[in-house]
Amino acid sequence: QVHLVESGGGLVQAGGSLRLSCAASGRSFSSSAIGWFRQTPGKEREFVAGISFSGSTDYEDSVKGRFTISRDNAKNTVTLQMSKLKPDDTAVYYCAASAWAWVTKAGVDYGSWGQGTQVTVSS
């Protein structure tokens, strides 16, 4: 299993930007897809963005063109650059490591999860 720690959350005004980071340790990080998910009270955990072992990316429709996911395998880190933030982006954001090399959107495919970082966007 992979141990993951998120950082970079905070308070921003609508239209602003944040950069979330996920630091990983453990086996086979470079061969695993990494996903970002978010969750708000009363709602199910939602896929936001993912990146495969080779760098291919996938995004939830509402964040396309605004969020960018990337990875640095040498440093065992994954980042989520968020811009043009909206109040609807407010959530706890989690990074997760998949059992597979390719991105999937189902949380059940991800066996390791970070503790989460809060993102709050004010209007």
Side-chain angles (χ1 to χ4, degrees), residues 27-33 53 71 73 98-102:
R27 298 186 300 110
S28 302
F29 171 81
S30 63
S31 63
S32 299
F53 80 104
R71 68 191 298 164
N73 288 340
S98 176
W100 308 106
W102 302 103

Side-chain angles (χ1 to χ4, degrees), residues 58-93:
D58 200 3
Y59 298 91
E60 192 271 329
D61 286 344
S62 69
V63 309
K64 288 181 179 177
R66 300 189 298 119
F67 291 10
T68 301
I69 187 171
S70 61
R71 68 191 298 164
D72 184 340
N73 288 340
K75 296 183 177 180
N76 282 1
T77 58
V78 174
T79 63
L80 184 67
Q81 178 65 51
M82 306 186 295
S83 62
K84 300 179 181 178
L85 284 162
K86 305 174 181 179
D88 285 348
D89 295 320
T90 296
V92 177
Y93 284 70

